[in-house]
Amino acid sequence: MKKLLIIFLILFCISTVKAADTDKVFERFSNIVSIKAQFRSERFVQISKEPLISRGELYFKRPDKLKWEYIKPIRHSFIFDGSKTFLEQYDDKGVKTIKDISKQREAKAADYLNMFVSMDGVKIGQYYDIKAQNDGIVLYPKDNSSTQIIEYIQISFSKEIAAVSRVEIFYKNGDKTIISFTNITLNQNFADDIFNV
Amino acid sequence: MFNFILRRKKICCVFLCFVFLSALFLFSKIRFKQDFSQVLPDSLSQEFKLFESSPLSNKVFVVVYCDDAALSFSAAQKAFDLLSLDKELGFKSSKTDKDFLLSYYYYFASLWDLSFADKIESLLNKNEIDKRLKENITALFSVEGAFNQDFIIADPLNLILLFAQKLEILNFSPDLKIENGFIVSKDLKKVLLIFDYPKNSLDLTNAKKIKDKIDIIKKQLPQNVNIFYMGAPRYTSENNETITADIYRILIISFVLTALLFLFFLRDKKALLIYLLPPIAVIFAADFASIIFKGISAITIGFASVLIGLSIDYCIYMYFALKSCRQEDRFLCAKKMFKPILISAGTSIAAFFVLLFSGIEIFRQISVFCISGLLFAVFVSLFILPFIFDCKSEYANRFNFKFKMNKLTACILLLAIFIVSFIGVMKAKINASPEILNTVSKQFDLDRSIFEEITGGAYANNKLFLVFGDTIEETLINNEIVSAQNPKHLHLSGLYPSKKQAEKNIDLWKQFWKPKMPLIENSINAISKQYAIESSIFNRFYDYLQDGKSADDFSLTVLFNPIMQVGQEYAFVNIVPQDIKIKSDRRIKTFSISNEDLKNKIVKDVHSRFVKIMPALLLCCLIVLSAAFKNIKCALLAVLPAICAIGVFFALASLLAIEINIFGLLALPLLIGLSIDYGIFIIFQNAHGEKLHPTKALFIAALSTLIGFGSLIAAHHKVLFIIGFMVFSGILTAMLVSVFIIPPFFKNEGKH
């Protein structure tokens, strides 16, 4: 009986430590008001011999404003203003068009991006089981239904500042997406105009 | 007989205990059916079953709404996931999600028609193709492209957007549209989720589970988002809540009043049996009816009230008769009660016997149930109670009414009752629609109005047009023939083609795409090269355009199955506006039915049957009474309380603007059965004197019925209320007519 009690106590301590670890991870990000960074996305897909590479910039302002702007190879942006998601596109002549895509599948992706950029621990915890790693966290989707395409997500943090430096998304079909962030500027005051559509 | 029982008292006791325990065991095994179609005439119950088993039945509708369309959508998605994943509920969903759309895309060649050829032709130029390809390649490069990758490869030209337009045929309301896999209102703020509900909609446990689940989901959604559900389980749940509250209230009222009645008039331990024995008659009756009909309806069990009411009357009559005699005259006195009790029972049995020929299943059950129960109650009253009740040689009639009415006053009063009754019967509002039987909360009414607003009253305004066939393929072909004759109204055949038509459509598809292939392949190859995409990934797309074959065995029945099996046949269910007239081929069997039509037919049929059944019931009683009394005047006077009871019930209902529902009509034999007894009692009182038949006995019998079933008048549920109202108004009238109006007619005749 005593042994059982000790095992139970050890297990309890381990789980508490783990929870405390992940809580600390998200605590680091709670003071961030805004983020500006450049990103590079590499999609390793079976349909292409070469990775599909795109580059762009991101702007984030707490609590929930995000602009995810692709500059290359094709210029377009996702703008999330807290309640709605918009797609900003440019034609060959540079004429801008804006579409409200709040009810489309892409909006879900934009919502995920917002969640990872802001490191919203509560929201992430709703969708994923979180495990702490040396330099970041690994997320395993709670929904393991047939419609789930993600196997797991690995997030690495910058050693210097409280920011995400790299996100690796592993898909069930063997594809992979790596998003790395550079030139990260935190808590810089920039105008809200950037999120206007 | 009494001596025979007396000599074998112990054996008889053991035998009775054995019989009772066996009956109780059988009762516990009874299967109660909750099939509303049993209430309908045989001819209509088939139509009702057809309507009930149509593809529109057994569905649960969940509405999620708020002022923000995006929020409504995300909340609906969450509600959809939570409801679909709950295995206990067993909801089957038919959401047009990504997998569904992909399967539908590959199935579309079977649905191809020339109207789509025209639409797509205009898109197949180099500029449009390049624009569409570029949009898709853009998505492939972005992070979110992973979510759409399957689609981009399967359909690089975004043809699915056009193909999905054909699914609009399934939208039966102009106020709804399909948006990203969900059915939404035009302002996008209200999302309608539709689930197939494979379980019994009337099962309370299942209905409660759905209610609880919706309540849990409501708490998980943002505060300003509302969610509610509609469908048969909601009615079951709402009705149950009302009935439960009613039963508690009524039980308390009737228990208190019965206790007062007992303490005031009876105050005898053995008199408790008056109220305890009749339920045993119900157990026997239920067992017997259940064996005959292989299970009985819950509605039939509701008629236990008639049985208990009648049995209580017999027990009371025997109790007071024995109380009035000496110990040594016990069995002589009991014998004297044989005739009045047998005549009372005989008239009731005759009335219920007529119901066997009513052509309504539930009436047949009620008939067998009540006749068997009455026979048992008579047996108990005549052969068991004389051994139990005490003889005290008391003259029980403390009810010597000073007020004696003369014949003229009685005639005038009777005439007045007949006139009022005639007006009442003419003016009474009879609503035989099944919906009136539901008693729901204010919140339900509010939710229903929102539901009807977003569905544009699709359920109320549409009718079902059924096309029959011996096999599924023949049914589909027949439907195509009838649809071709009604191209403006019957569209579903476009989504559910027969195998023969599907093959024709695929041939047309191949003919359409063949000349377009070089242009499409060249454009895709060029853009693939530009962005370093493997052009071979689009091979499946080329194959599909060229052969039109779907890889999986897909059918739109996953979304909506219009085929239903009707006995040995099959029927294709088309949904068309109520006021549309459909042309049909003489060689093809078709049938049209709507909620409104069915309601009207029920009202008409039930009403006309009642007009025939009620006089037949009374006539039957009259014949039995005439034969028993050998005096037509006595027979007429005995049925008088019953006629007045029915008349006053109708008169009061129309005066108080109370709608008489189908259960009000169903319960009328109850009123005849109960109130005729009081008339018979007074006839015997006049013949044998008040010692053996004291007015007090009639008074207590009537009061017991009034308290037991008349207290249902306090119920909020419409079914319970109408039975309560009928018993209260009817029994009170029957009692007053028996005690005050019948006696003056005997004044000059003396005892016979």
Side-chain angles (χ1 to χ4, degrees):
Chain A
M1 187 66 194
K2 246 184 179 179
K3 277 182 186 173
L4 268 175
L5 197 69
I6 292 165
I7 292 167
F8 174 75
L9 278 171
I10 292 169
L11 284 173
F12 176 76
C13 292
I14 290 170
S15 61
T16 318
V17 167
K18 275 192 174 175
D21 279 355
T22 50
D23 283 350
K24 263 186 190 175
V25 166
F26 294 113
E27 221 178 83
R28 284 177 65 195
F29 298 92
S30 59
N31 294 328
I32 296 168
V33 181
S34 68
I35 305 169
K36 185 185 171 194
Q38 288 175 341
F39 69 83
R40 174 189 156 96
S41 158
E42 291 169 273
R43 294 199 62 227
F44 296 89
V45 288
Q46 289 164 16
I47 57 167
S48 173
K49 285 173 191 167
E50 302 293 322
L52 305 177
I53 300 169
S54 55
R55 289 190 185 84
E57 285 181 352
L58 84 91
Y59 301 88
F60 168 75
K61 208 164 199 182
R62 214 170 269 283
D64 47 20
K65 283 187 174 166
L66 175 78
K67 182 170 184 176
W68 187 271
E69 185 176 18
Y70 291 98
I71 296 166
K72 277 183 182 175
I74 300 159
R75 193 179 169 196
H76 67 289
S77 317
F78 287 99
I79 300 166
F80 185 69
D81 75 352
S83 60
K84 286 185 175 175
T85 309
F86 298 92
L87 173 64
E88 197 178 71
Q89 286 174 305
Y90 296 85
D91 67 10
D92 295 340
K93 290 167 193 163
V95 178
K96 187 169 84 173
T97 53
I98 290 168
K99 264 202 286 191
D100 182 351
I101 57 157
S102 307
K103 292 181 297 300
Q104 293 177 17
R105 271 188 295 275
E106 289 87 344
K108 203 170 179 181
D111 190 31
Y112 278 178
L113 287 174
N114 192 20
M115 184 166 79
F116 296 136
V117 170
S118 63
M119 275 288 113
D120 182 343
V122 178
K123 206 166 180 184
I124 291 174
Q126 277 177 9
Y127 295 101
Y128 297 96
D129 288 324
I130 308 163
K131 281 193 180 164
Q133 249 193 0
N134 293 340
D135 58 344
I137 51 173
V138 185
L139 310 176
Y140 296 93
K142 283 183 176 172
D143 166 22
N144 232 336
S145 65
S146 57
T147 52
Q148 177 61 260
I149 59 167
I150 294 170
E151 186 84 44
Y152 66 94
I153 300 168
Q154 206 167 309
I155 298 175
S156 309
F157 303 130
S158 162
K159 281 171 188 163
E160 294 82 31
I161 52 169
V164 174
S165 61
R166 189 178 162 97
V167 176
E168 287 175 78
I169 306 169
F170 295 86
Y171 299 97
K172 280 183 177 172
N173 66 356
D175 291 353
K176 182 171 83 169
T177 300
I178 300 174
I179 312 166
S180 31
F181 299 94
T182 51
N183 297 331
I184 304 167
T185 320
L186 298 179
N187 299 334
Q188 191 193 51
N189 201 13
F190 51 81
D192 274 354
D193 293 2
I194 209 148
F195 304 106
N196 289 349
V197 288
Chain B
M1 184 72 174
F2 288 123
N3 287 334
F4 176 84
I5 296 171
L6 209 57
R7 281 202 297 272
R8 297 163 183 85
K9 218 173 174 179
K10 283 184 183 170
I11 298 170
C12 286
C13 277
V14 172
F15 176 73
L16 280 174
C17 286
F18 172 75
V19 171
F20 173 67
L21 288 173
S22 309
L24 205 63
F25 173 75
L26 283 175
F27 187 75
S28 68
K29 300 284 170 198
I30 288 179
R31 211 160 42 89
F32 293 106
K33 297 174 187 171
Q34 289 179 311
D35 184 357
F36 185 77
S37 64
Q38 290 182 332
V39 177
L40 304 173
D42 292 344
S43 55
L44 288 181
S45 67
Q46 290 300 318
E47 264 176 62
F48 184 77
K49 274 188 179 157
L50 209 60
F51 196 72
E52 209 183 34
S53 53
S54 79
L56 287 182
S57 296
N58 264 24
K59 295 234 183 292
V60 170
F61 303 90
V62 178
V63 178
V64 182
Y65 68 101
C66 74
D67 286 336
D68 186 309
L71 195 58
S72 292
F73 181 81
S74 63
Q77 179 66 56
K78 188 168 183 177
F80 180 86
D81 291 344
L82 290 168
L83 287 165
S84 311
L85 291 172
D86 195 313
K87 284 179 185 160
E88 223 184 333
L89 289 183
F91 276 8
K92 284 182 185 168
S93 53
S94 45
K95 186 177 167 250
T96 49
D97 59 9
K98 189 181 138 191
D99 289 341
F100 167 83
L101 284 175
L102 209 53
S103 298
Y104 172 70
Y105 168 77
Y106 281 121
Y107 176 69
F108 193 79
S110 311
L111 309 177
W112 181 255
D113 64 54
L114 292 176
S115 67
F116 277 88
D118 294 340
K119 283 179 195 168
I120 290 175
E121 189 81 62
S122 63
L123 304 175
L124 293 178
N125 57 67
K126 197 172 182 317
N127 284 346
E128 187 62 31
I129 291 173
D130 285 350
K131 191 184 149 201
R132 285 171 175 253
L133 285 172
K134 200 180 163 191
E135 266 179 24
N136 275 334
I137 300 297
T138 306
L140 271 185
F141 273 87
S142 60
V143 179
E144 62 284 355
F147 290 87
N148 288 338
Q149 194 169 297
D150 296 349
F151 252 109
I152 295 166
I153 296 166
D155 178 25
L157 297 183
N158 266 347
L159 296 171
I160 187 66
L161 293 175
L162 267 170
F163 294 173
Q165 284 176 9
K166 198 160 190 176
L167 289 174
E168 289 285 326
I169 292 174
L170 287 174
N171 186 5
F172 303 115
S173 166
D175 297 320
L176 292 171
K177 59 179 189 170
I178 296 172
E179 188 79 28
N180 204 25
F182 284 117
I183 300 169
V184 291
S185 59
K186 274 190 173 166
D187 64 0
L188 307 175
K189 290 175 182 175
K190 297 181 184 88
V191 182
L192 178 68
L193 309 174
I194 303 176
F195 296 94
D196 277 322
Y197 181 61
K199 293 178 184 170
N200 180 4
S201 313
L202 297 172
D203 186 295
L204 186 59
T205 319
N206 293 331
K208 271 184 179 169
K209 272 182 199 161
I210 298 174
K211 185 184 181 296
D212 292 346
K213 186 74 190 176
I214 295 287
D215 287 345
I216 292 168
I217 292 173
K218 198 170 187 173
K219 283 176 194 159
Q220 292 179 4
L221 298 181
Q223 271 189 341
N224 49 341
V225 175
N226 290 306
I227 180 169
F228 68 83
Y229 70 108
M230 296 299 288
R234 173 92 187 257
Y235 279 100
T236 306
S237 168
E238 290 269 334
N239 277 320
N240 174 62
E241 277 176 20
T242 316
I243 290 173
T244 309
D246 278 346
I247 283 173
Y248 282 123
R249 190 183 316 114
I250 290 157
L251 275 180
I252 292 168
I253 294 171
S254 61
F255 180 78
V256 170
L257 292 176
T258 310
L260 284 174
L261 184 80
F262 183 82
L263 290 172
F264 193 74
F265 293 107
L266 300 166
R267 272 178 284 173
D268 177 3
K269 268 186 274 175
K270 287 187 179 173
L272 275 175
L273 286 172
I274 290 171
Y275 299 103
L276 295 179
L277 282 177
I280 302 174
V282 172
I283 293 174
F284 277 89
D287 288 343
F288 190 72
S290 173
I291 290 166
I292 302 278
F293 295 98
K294 290 171 186 163
I296 53 171
S297 163
I299 300 165
T300 306
I301 280 292
F303 269 71
S305 55
V306 193
L307 211 47
I308 292 175
L310 290 167
S311 311
I312 284 179
D313 288 358
Y314 305 152
C315 293
I316 288 174
Y317 300 156
M318 185 57 88
Y319 175 81
F320 280 101
L322 287 170
K323 212 176 169 187
S324 69
C325 68
R326 290 175 301 172
Q327 181 63 30
E328 55 270 33
D329 296 333
R330 169 187 289 272
F331 297 123
L332 195 72
C333 181
K335 267 185 189 171
K336 281 185 183 170
M337 290 308 290
F338 268 43
K339 200 173 175 187
I341 290 179
L342 281 175
I343 291 177
S344 286
T347 49
S348 303
I349 287 171
F352 288 121
F353 185 72
V354 174
L355 295 184
L356 271 178
F357 308 98
S358 61
I360 300 175
E361 169 70 10
I362 199 80
F363 276 3
R364 287 193 285 267
Q365 272 189 30
I366 290 168
S367 172
V368 171
F369 174 79
C370 288
I371 290 173
S372 55
L374 280 174
L375 289 173
F376 179 81
V378 167
F379 174 78
V380 169
S381 306
L382 299 183
F383 298 109
I384 297 175
L385 295 183
F387 291 94
I388 300 170
F389 289 149
D390 292 332
C391 296
K392 291 181 181 170
S393 194
E394 280 176 9
Y395 181 52
N397 204 355
R398 280 187 236 156
F399 282 76
N400 277 323
F401 296 105
K402 297 258 167 76
F403 174 74
K404 297 278 180 189
M405 201 178 281
N406 63 42
K407 204 173 176 179
L408 183 69
T409 318
C411 280
I412 292 168
L413 268 176
L414 213 53
L415 188 69
I417 291 174
F418 283 154
I419 291 169
V420 168
S421 300
F422 180 75
I423 297 169
V425 171
M426 291 293 118
K427 297 252 175 191
K429 275 187 189 169
I430 296 172
N431 192 340
S433 85
E435 281 159 24
I436 196 92
L437 303 178
N438 292 305
T439 304
V440 292
S441 63
K442 279 183 186 168
Q443 185 58 46
F444 180 91
D445 285 332
L446 209 72
D447 292 345
R448 184 168 48 193
S449 64
I450 294 171
F451 178 71
E452 277 170 8
E453 182 197 318
I454 60 171
T455 56
Y459 272 70
N461 300 334
N462 287 324
K463 67 176 175 184
L464 307 181
F465 181 76
L466 282 72
V467 181
F468 290 82
D470 290 337
T471 61
I472 292 178
E473 180 66 4
E474 190 189 274
T475 309
L476 290 168
I477 292 171
N478 286 347
N479 187 55
E480 279 158 3
I481 295 168
V482 179
S483 300
Q485 290 168 341
N486 300 274
K488 277 187 184 172
H489 309 304
L490 303 181
H491 306 291
L492 279 178
S493 61
L495 289 179
Y496 300 91
S498 60
K499 278 180 191 161
K500 207 172 143 190
Q501 185 60 44
E503 278 166 20
K504 274 187 199 169
N505 292 343
I506 291 172
D507 284 341
L508 286 173
W509 164 279
K510 287 195 269 191
Q511 283 168 31
F512 175 82
W513 287 107
K514 200 179 173 186
K516 275 95 185 169
M517 290 311 292
L519 172 68
I520 295 168
E521 280 184 55
N522 286 340
S523 301
I524 289 177
N525 286 341
I527 206 149
S528 299
K529 202 173 173 187
Q530 187 185 341
Y531 291 101
I533 304 282
E534 286 274 358
S535 59
S536 62
I537 61 165
F538 298 107
N539 284 349
R540 169 104 199 261
F541 172 64
Y542 303 142
D543 290 345
Y544 176 50
L545 295 188
Q546 281 165 324
D547 62 26
K549 290 270 159 63
S550 167
D552 52 1
D553 195 14
F554 176 79
S555 158
L556 277 169
T557 51
V558 294
L559 200 60
F560 173 78
N561 188 357
I563 301 274
M564 61 190 265
Q565 194 165 3
V566 187
Q568 298 296 312
E569 293 176 302
Y570 293 90
F572 189 103
V573 183
N574 290 284
I575 297 159
V576 290
Q578 178 97 24
D579 47 352
I580 295 295
K581 204 173 175 196
I582 304 290
K583 289 181 222 160
S584 55
D585 194 305
R586 276 186 197 168
R587 291 161 299 172
I588 297 169
K589 184 182 165 188
T590 58
F591 184 72
S592 178
I593 185 172
S594 75
N595 209 357
E596 198 59 35
D597 287 345
L598 193 63
K599 255 193 267 177
N600 292 337
K601 278 184 184 173
I602 292 171
V603 174
K604 211 174 156 188
D605 207 306
V606 170
H607 195 263
S608 72
R609 276 169 198 268
F610 260 89
V611 169
K612 288 173 196 159
I613 286 171
M614 292 313 289
L617 273 173
L618 285 168
L619 194 69
C620 212
C621 292
L622 207 60
I623 293 166
V624 172
L625 288 171
S626 302
F629 292 136
K630 294 185 182 84
N631 181 331
I632 190 79
K633 185 184 168 186
C634 285
L636 279 170
L637 286 172
V639 292
L640 202 58
I643 295 169
C644 293
I646 295 170
V648 171
F649 161 61
F650 275 101
L652 279 176
S654 55
L655 184 73
L656 301 171
I658 293 170
E659 275 190 342
I660 299 171
N661 57 44
I662 200 164
F663 273 80
L665 295 177
L666 278 173
L668 278 176
L670 177 161
L671 202 52
I672 295 177
L674 288 171
S675 46
I676 231 166
D677 279 5
Y678 307 139
I680 295 169
F681 185 91
I682 292 294
I683 306 287
F684 275 94
Q685 187 189 57
N686 185 62
H688 300 291
E690 293 189 19
K691 194 174 180 226
L692 202 62
H693 303 280
T695 310
K696 183 180 179 181
L698 187 151
F699 186 72
I700 294 174
L703 269 186
S704 301
T705 310
L706 277 183
I707 290 168
F709 312 112
S711 55
L712 291 176
I713 203 168
H716 289 137
H717 197 275
K718 288 166 192 162
V719 171
L720 300 177
F721 170 79
I722 199 70
I723 293 175
F725 177 73
M726 188 185 68
V727 171
F728 196 86
S729 58
I731 296 297
L732 199 63
T733 307
M735 183 181 78
L736 296 173
V737 168
S738 304
V739 174
F740 296 108
I741 295 181
I742 298 178
F745 288 96
F746 290 117
K747 258 183 188 173
N748 301 326
E749 282 189 20
K751 294 175 181 178
H752 58 270

